[in-house]
Every structure is written in structure tokens, then in C-alpha cells.
Amino acid sequence: MARKLMRGNDALAEAAILAGCKAFFGYPITPQNEIPAYMADQLPLRGGVYLQAESEVSAINMVYGAAGAGARVMTSSSSPGISLKQEGISYIAAAELPCVIVNVMRCGPGLGGIHPSQGDYFQAVKGGGHGDYKLIVLAPGSVQEMADLTILAFDLADKWRNPVMILADGILGQMMEPVVFEEDLKINQVEKPWATTGAIGRKPNIINTLDIVPESLEQKNIALLTKYDEIRKQEVRWQEIHTEDADLILVAYGTSARVARSAMEEARKKGLKVGLFRPISLYPFPEGEISRLASSKTEFLTIEMSSGQMVEDVRLAVNGKCPVHFTNRLGGMVPTVEDILEKIEEIYEGSDH
Amino acid sequence: MDIVFQRPESMTGEQMHYCPGCTHGIIHRLVGEAIDDLDIREQTIGIASVGCSVFAYDYFNCDMQQASHGRAPAVATGIKRVLPDKMVFAYQGDGDLASIGMAEIVHAAARSENITVIFVNNAIYGMTSGQMAPTTLIGQKTTTTPRGRTVSEAGYPIKMCELLATLDGVTYLERVSSHDAKHILQAKRAIKKAFEIQQGGKGFAMVEVLSTCSVNWGMTPIESMDWLADNMIPYYPLGVFKDVSVEEGV
């Protein structure tokens, strides 16, 4: 298995093709442009379809059509473009169509800037579009995970008949790291008897999100919630480092988690018992695992490149059992190791540890 | 006894919800007959769009997808690109196609997507109870043009066939009407041809069908047919606006 030095966006695109992605519908926006460029270059040569849509709105509806026709399909964009896709994502979730949606986050609100951010956490994990629905949301923390979680995303999408979002950011998309692709990757081909492929010798299949009978729509809503409950039981993913003896646990995902890990190592050199908890699945959120770590002997410090979004889920999981602190940078700024160390020391000075 | 008339196999027989005097039912039947004539029912995937025709997925006896408002050509594109050997048609109203879905129809046409679009123009939003459409005529009263549409307030109605005819990607465009038997027969020929063009891999084909909305126009069914003939056809002339299918050897 050869190691290759690759950019995060390129590794993600290559992984999608290896996972059997047969169609990609995109629209230009920085900092994700390498993904459509890679797909345009490679997908037609490897048995797939690349199409540049006229807008993000059209791209997500092309995904709806292709996913409904049974293909493994992906789209990618960045924050403002993901906002435009939200109506389509709601329809895809309602119709229970498997697909992968990539958000290489940039800073907002509005047109914001092109620098990295984690400001779309709420949009990704709480819904984003209208109505009661959930995406499965995966947050890579390295170029290797940009690849691995994309392959996993296609499998989870098919397994649960649910849209899966890869929530990355501009740094993960643009940075280069060594990445290994498994040779002879086995694609988990799932039968899709519900897909609209032409009603040959069977009754017509209908991909639909409309139901004007409340009694009937309520049952569909309940069926979706039951599915999400099952996803919460089965698909929680996270990484813990040095949490066993920690009296301060950093909680961060994606790029923030990389900086937090360095800060944790620096703190350990100073004799401070700091650990790191990194959620990999943001939905389902590892609330049970955080709750397990919360006690009168621990405190938490959540680090985000947002005004404070995931920290709300950390506080819900901790449920008052111990203090949950927060530090952040905004506007495309990335917290430094020094920023986080300073906050760690401030917490230790103020606590009775 | 010979059967001389029956429901097309491509229709389900589900009771339609359309109002008295509305010609959606006739146009559905023409599409069903065309699919039967070409024996492509099992190869066809249709797209229902938001508006009165959204329940088309209950009426056509073939695989169906229901698209969000205006996006039927994008959904059709997604299906056709991954299943290029299948037949894909979108059935859209005027609010859906000519207002919120303007970008999708123009770009699907420009790409020469090999799909068939049935565009039903009744000059009003029916499902939402009669608001001004992009095709509402000057002077026509709707709930949102209560004193009649004026140019100064709402601009001009959009002629979609004329607009799309400017695009190189378009293979076939025809405007037909559904107000009497003679025109319905012509509409049938046009719709069938639009499917044949797709079958031959010749690119984008759209048939605009002028239709009625008796309830929201505030008329009887018979008055509606006359109003269509007297008011809509002068502004939306019938005929073929583009046909390069012969040059391309269909």
C-alpha cells in the first residue's frame, strides 16, 4: 500500500471514486474547487459522470435525481453554497435517498471570507433546511480521514438510506499529507429495489416527499425519527487521547482538534493532566461518551473556529456535572497552540485541581 | 367485441384531483398515449413538479420522482446522466418552469439534455389558488393582480418557446393547445414527437401546451376554452419554434 502525498480535497475526491461514486454534480466555490476539478479529470475516465451545474440549487437536485435512480452520487461545496443546497437536502432526507454532500467550510456569515471556519456546525447537525430531519455528519481531522471518512460516508448513506455530510474546512481541504488507499477496496454494493430505474416487470417506484394526509405524514415522520434513534445507537465515532487520568479534557473536531492536540502535548510537558476528546461523528454526537467522562474531578474546554456551536452539545452531554469552558477564533482565524495553552493555564489557576 | 377506446396502460386509473374544466387530465392522457404508442412504459421515468400536477406520480403508471419547485429539469438531468438508456420526462407548470425554475430549464436546454419536457401553460398559479404567473396576460385578473396585470407593475408575460428557441442546444420546440379536439390531436402528435427525439438520442425537446384553469379564471369550463382561444393564442402563437431533428436524422 503506497503512501502518496496528497491535498485533502484531492484525497477526498479520489476516495469517492474508489468508493464507487458514479456521478458528481458541482458548482465552483472556494475553498473546495479541487474536488470538482479532480472529479472532472478522473470520473469520466473511470466509468462515472461529471457535470458542472448552473447553481448549487441545481447541483443538489441533480443529486436527488441520480440518487433516486440508484447511483452512488456526491456533490461538494463550501458554506454559502451549502446554504443554497439546504432545500434540496431536506427533500433528499425526506425521500430517504443515499448520497454524500461535502462542505469544506469557510467563514461567514454572508459571503464572509474564503478562510477556514467551523461556523456551519449548527446547520450541519441540527437540520439546516426545513422540517424534522437529520444528516449523518462526519468530521475528518486529517487528509487520511478526508479519504477514509468519504469511503465510510458512501457505505453509511446506502446502509441507512440517508444523506451523509463530510464537514471539513478550508485547511483540511488545502493541506497536503501522506495518505494511504487500501488496495482492492471492497465496495459494499447494496441492492436498491426502491430506485426509479424503469418499472420492468414490477410496479412503478415513486420517489416522493409529499403527503398531505396528516395521519400518514406523522407516521413517516415517526419512521424517520426511529431511524435516527438507531443511527445514534450504532454510528457514534470519536477519538480519545489521555482522557484516562485527565482532569481537563479538550473537546474539538477537525482543524481545531489538530491544534488542541498539540496544546495538550505541551500542557502534558508542563505536568498538567490534559486530555483530548475528538468527536468524529458530529451527528450522531458522542454525548454518552462525553457524559461518561464528566465527573466532579474533570472539567472540559471546547475549542472551535466558531462563536460557540458544538459547545452547546458538550454542555448538554455534561448536563451540569462539571464546568465546560470555551475558547475560539473567528473570521477565518485559527486558534494557536499558545492561545489554547493560555486558556488551559487560566482554567487551572481558577480551579481547585 | 373489439375494444376501440380504453385507458392507456401508462395511466394508473387513480381518480384525478383536477378541477372541472382543467385540461391537465387531457394532457396527462396524451403523454400516456405517447408512452404506450412507443412501448416505452417500462423504460420511462417521469418527474412531477410542484403545483397542480404534483400528484402526477399517482396518475402515470411508470417510475416517477417528485421534484422540488422548479427543479424538475435538474432532477431529470441527474436521472438521465446515470441512466442514459432510459426515457426521462418532466411535466411542469408555468410557475414552476418559467418563474422559479427558469435557470434549470434554460440550462437543461442549453446542455441539450436528452430529455422530454411537457410544459403546461395556463397563465396562472392554480394550486395556490390563483396568483399571477410569469405567463399571466396583460390585463388578466388574479388574486395578486386584482385590477388586472399591468406592465408598469409586473412587466410582460414570458414566451418560453420563443426564449428557448434562441439556444443552440435545443432540438425541438412546439407550442400546442388543449382547448378543442382538433388542437388536442395536434398536441398528441407534438408530444409523441418529443419522446421520439429523446428515443433517437437527439437532445432537448419541449412541448408547451396551452391549458385552462376555469376555477381560478372564474369561468365555466366552456368559457375557459373560448378564453384560451381568444386571448392566449393571440399572445402565445401556436406552431413549431425550432426543429432540427430532421437535419439530425431522427
Side-chain angles (χ1 to χ4, degrees):
Chain A
M1 288 193 285
R3 282 157 71 86
K4 283 171 76 176
L5 188 65
M6 285 185 89
R7 194 197 300 257
N9 283 338
D10 292 338
L12 182 149
E14 174 63 23
I17 297 172
L18 291 174
C21 178
K22 290 296 177 206
F24 180 91
F25 303 101
Y27 187 83
I29 184 170
T30 307
Q32 60 83 56
N33 290 317
E34 294 78 12
I35 299 174
Y38 195 98
M39 294 307 242
D41 182 51
Q42 288 293 309
L43 206 45
L45 305 177
R46 293 159 73 178
V49 176
Y50 168 82
L51 180 61
Q52 181 166 320
E54 58 270 26
S55 68
E56 288 92 345
V57 174
S58 287
I60 195 68
N61 284 285
M62 290 172 184
V63 168
Y64 178 99
R72 280 199 160 181
V73 53
M74 184 168 92
T75 185
S76 68
S77 190
S78 180
S79 307
I82 295 291
S83 294
L84 281 167
K85 291 183 193 291
Q86 291 301 328
E87 183 205 31
I89 292 172
S90 172
Y91 276 68
I92 287 169
E96 296 192 88
L97 299 179
C99 68
V100 176
I101 302 151
V102 180
N103 182 0
V104 183
M105 285 185 284
R106 56 189 263 181
C107 40
L111 198 50
I114 60 170
H115 290 87
S117 163
Q118 296 178 322
D120 303 346
Y121 177 91
F122 280 156
Q123 186 193 55
V125 308
K126 304 295 182 188
H130 60 284
D132 280 312
Y133 73 90
K134 293 290 183 187
L135 309 178
I136 296 171
V137 183
L138 303 175
S142 64
V143 173
Q144 183 68 54
E145 280 193 350
M146 290 285 269
D148 293 346
L149 294 183
T150 298
I151 293 167
L152 175 66
F154 279 98
D155 285 344
L156 293 180
D158 279 348
K159 177 181 175 184
W160 294 102
R161 276 192 67 178
N162 207 71
V164 179
M165 178 172 279
I166 302 287
L167 194 67
D169 64 58
I171 287 183
L172 288 162
Q174 299 295 324
M175 66 191 255
M176 295 185 83
E177 280 184 331
V179 58
V180 178
F181 292 100
E182 197 180 319
E183 282 168 31
D184 302 322
L185 179 76
K186 192 171 120 301
I187 297 170
N188 296 315
Q189 290 292 5
V190 174
E191 291 293 315
K192 298 178 178 176
W194 45 265
T196 57
T197 54
I200 300 174
R202 60 160 168 77
K203 287 188 172 169
N205 285 337
I206 299 173
I207 304 291
N208 180 30
T209 69
L210 178 67
D211 190 335
I212 58 168
V213 180
E215 290 82 356
S216 166
L217 183 55
E218 184 180 44
Q219 290 310 310
K220 287 178 185 166
N221 289 150
I222 290 169
L224 278 180
L225 297 184
T226 305
K227 177 172 84 170
Y228 303 147
D229 282 345
E230 204 55 39
I231 289 171
R232 284 165 64 181
K233 283 181 200 152
Q234 295 187 36
E235 305 296 353
V236 177
R237 288 172 169 82
W238 74 98
Q239 182 188 23
E240 288 178 51
I241 306 172
H242 298 322
T243 51
E244 322 76 44
D245 66 340
D247 41 36
L248 178 65
I249 297 172
L250 311 183
V251 187
Y253 69 95
T255 290
S256 297
R258 296 171 68 96
V259 187
R261 181 170 183 165
S262 298
M264 176 197 71
E265 284 161 4
E266 290 302 311
R268 285 263 162 185
K269 285 180 196 163
K270 296 182 178 205
L272 303 174
K273 288 183 181 173
V274 177
L276 174 67
F277 187 96
R278 178 171 74 94
I280 295 172
S281 59
L282 299 180
Y283 189 91
F285 190 71
E287 54 198 9
E289 290 66 29
I290 288 179
S291 174
R292 168 175 56 79
L293 293 169
S295 75
S296 58
K297 297 192 180 73
T298 56
E299 295 189 21
F300 287 86
L301 169 58
T302 305
I303 302 136
E304 291 181 71
M305 287 141 59
S306 81
S307 59
Q309 300 190 15
M310 183 180 71
V311 67
E312 292 192 4
D313 284 335
V314 176
R315 288 193 175 120
L316 282 169
V318 168
N319 198 17
K321 285 194 269 187
C322 63
V324 177
H325 306 275
F326 178 66
T327 189
N328 68 334
R329 292 301 298 271
L330 293 163
M333 297 300 291
V334 179
T336 63
V337 173
E338 294 71 30
D339 289 339
I340 299 172
L341 261 181
E342 195 178 315
K343 183 73 180 178
I344 289 170
E345 287 171 344
E346 184 189 307
I347 292 166
Y348 272 92
E349 281 162 21
S351 76
D352 48 9
H353 292 301
Chain B
M1 193 162 62
D2 289 345
I3 294 171
V4 294
F5 190 80
Q6 64 181 349
R7 185 174 64 244
E9 193 189 357
S10 298
M11 309 288 293
T12 60
E14 184 83 13
Q15 185 175 345
M16 289 184 179
H17 70 286
Y18 297 116
C19 307
C22 165
T23 58
H24 263 307
I26 294 169
I27 300 163
H28 279 19
R29 184 186 167 92
L30 299 181
V31 172
E33 286 179 356
I35 293 172
D36 275 13
D37 288 352
L38 298 171
D39 194 21
I40 53 171
R41 186 185 71 81
E42 293 185 332
Q43 307 298 325
T44 298
I45 299 133
I47 296 129
S49 56
V50 170
C52 291
S53 62
V54 68
F55 293 110
Y57 56 74
D58 280 336
Y59 307 143
F60 288 113
N61 186 26
C62 62
D63 276 5
M64 294 291 295
Q65 292 197 16
Q66 167 254 318
S68 60
H69 202 17
R71 318 305 173 205
V75 172
T77 298
I79 299 169
K80 189 71 179 184
R81 291 291 180 121
V82 298
L83 299 174
D85 298 332
K86 303 293 178 179
M87 298 288 288
V88 179
F89 77 92
Y91 188 108
Q92 301 180 260
D94 46 80
D96 191 76
L97 182 140
S99 189
I100 193 168
M102 183 61 97
E104 283 73 17
I105 194 65
V106 166
H107 284 272
R111 288 192 303 267
S112 201
E113 290 294 341
N114 193 32
I115 60 173
T116 302
V117 178
I118 309 302
F119 168 41
V120 179
N121 178 3
N122 63 4
I124 204 160
Y125 281 81
M127 187 67 126
T128 46
S129 70
Q131 295 82 3
M132 183 189 72
T135 49
T136 292
L137 297 176
I138 301 301
Q140 188 182 341
K141 287 185 179 174
T142 70
T143 62
T144 52
T145 53
R147 287 165 292 280
R149 179 174 183 164
T150 62
V151 170
S152 62
E153 285 176 316
Y156 293 91
I158 297 174
K159 298 174 178 178
M160 284 307 301
C161 281
E162 289 84 339
L163 188 154
L164 294 177
T166 63
L167 298 172
D168 293 338
V170 171
T171 301
Y172 173 61
L173 286 171
E174 181 165 354
R175 184 182 289 126
V176 296
S177 181
S178 60
H179 71 285
D180 64 21
K182 177 184 152 212
H183 287 90
I184 289 167
L185 289 173
Q186 177 53 31
K188 166 72 188 296
R189 283 192 287 274
I191 288 169
K192 187 172 174 183
K193 178 167 179 171
F195 277 95
E196 286 171 333
I197 285 165
Q198 180 182 171
Q199 205 170 27
K202 296 300 173 189
F204 183 88
M206 186 183 91
V207 178
E208 175 176 346
V209 188
L210 300 183
S211 74
T212 52
C213 186
S214 305
V215 169
N216 288 303
W217 288 358
M219 299 176 197
T220 66
I222 290 171
E223 287 168 349
S224 302
M225 302 303 161
D226 292 341
W227 193 86
L228 187 163
D230 295 344
N231 295 276
M232 288 185 74
I233 292 176
Y235 192 83
Y236 297 112
L238 307 183
V240 175
F241 288 82
K242 189 170 181 190
D243 184 1
V244 294
S245 63
V246 180
E247 295 157 43
E248 298 193 3
V250 165

